[in-house]
Amino acid sequence: MRFLTVALLFAAVPATAQVPQARTWWAFVSLGPGGAADSGFYASGVGAAWQRGSKLYMARVASLDTKTQKRISDAGFLVGVSRRPTRFQLAFAGGIGVVKDSRDSTALAMPFEAQGTWILSDVFAIGLRTFASINRLENFGGTAVTVHLGRIRR
């Protein structure tokens, strides 16, 4: 009987509720200096990210360009960690992608990215993005100023 009473008591007490994890998403564009082994270029990028709690998922294209042509670019899917969006957000991610150079050669790539973002409102942020793409064609990377638009903070 004592066991039944304790069991009913525990059944009547609600379990502690889990705090809902904020779901945020945004699109971004970026531009800044970049480089490969032979020289420096313009680094540009465009992508989208989705965050739930501290987990970050990102699809992005990063490229190095000259004034007249696209030198090399990669398209990748990255997974990483990020602080929950407050006024300032730090994010780190790595993944897998495909790189293509100006000669139309392609190869698998390992893209990496780090971002520091200053969140100005619930839908707008600016930041600094550093990226690298490790691949067999030509490793490249860059640092760029980035603009984020979306549901950045919930």
Side-chain angles (χ1 to χ4, degrees), residues 28-135:
F28 63 88
V29 295
S30 60
L31 182 64
D38 56 355
S39 57
F41 302 95
Y42 299 109
S44 60
V46 61
W50 180 70
Q51 181 176 349
R52 182 175 179 163
S54 64
K55 296 179 189 97
L56 177 67
Y57 306 93
M58 183 185 318
R60 62 107 165 117
V61 174
S63 64
L64 292 183
D65 308 307
T66 65
K67 290 182 180 181
T68 58
Q69 74 173 354
K70 184 174 299 267
R71 174 79 160 66
I72 191 166
S73 63
D74 81 352
F77 181 73
L78 291 75
V79 177
V81 295
S82 176
R83 283 189 56 204
R84 293 199 54 200
T86 56
R87 274 284 172 221
F88 188 75
Q89 180 179 16
L90 289 174
F92 302 95
I96 190 160
V98 176
V99 67
K100 182 178 178 182
D101 66 8
S102 59
R103 298 178 306 262
D104 284 336
S105 299
T106 59
L108 284 177
M110 289 180 12
F112 296 96
E113 188 154 328
Q115 291 187 14
T117 306
W118 183 28
I119 299 172
L120 300 173
S121 74
D122 291 346
V123 297
F124 179 75
I126 59 172
L128 190 63
R129 167 181 177 255
T130 300
F131 69 93
S133 180
I134 311 300
N135 61 81

